[in-house]
Amino acid sequence: ENIQEIESKDISEGGICISTKSKYSPGSTVVLQLFLGNKLINIEGRVIWEKQSGNNLYDLGIKYIKASEEEIKEIKNYIEEF
């Protein structure tokens, strides 16, 4: 189990782009804990793409594969606040 604190670069109702120190192959499954304001959401996702972004960091495009309607609603509400 590889637990990391990561930073999101972009978030949408369908997925998220993150920067991480670990390389993941497309097709890998990841579990994300998203802190959206004062809410914590756990979502399972699949790595769609990966690219090195310098300084030993990798950007990952992740599509949500297991998320409830309520979790997607929370993400949508979070996005609309910004």
Side-chain angles (χ1 to χ4, degrees), residues 6-18 27-36 41-49 60-79:
I6 52 95
E7 186 172 314
S8 65
K9 299 182 88 175
D10 189 22
I11 187 169
S12 73
E13 294 173 49
I16 189 168
C17 175
I18 62 170
S28 299
T29 301
V30 295
V31 177
L32 304 169
Q33 285 191 321
L34 305 178
F35 293 94
L36 305 175
I41 296 175
N42 294 298
I43 294 182
E44 189 172 326
R46 178 168 292 118
V47 177
I48 302 300
W49 57 264
L60 305 177
I62 299 170
K63 178 181 179 179
Y64 310 134
I65 57 173
K66 287 190 181 174
S68 69
E69 287 183 31
E70 184 63 29
E71 289 166 331
I72 297 301
K73 182 179 174 184
E74 290 295 337
I75 292 169
K76 182 178 179 181
N77 290 341
Y78 179 78
I79 293 168

Side-chain angles (χ1 to χ4, degrees), residues 9 18-23 49-60:
K9 299 182 88 175
I18 62 170
S19 283
T20 178
K21 293 179 181 178
S22 298
K23 185 174 183 174
W49 57 264
E50 171 270 328
K51 70 175 184 176
Q52 190 165 7
S53 60
N55 297 331
N56 296 321
L57 291 175
Y58 298 90
D59 289 346
L60 305 177

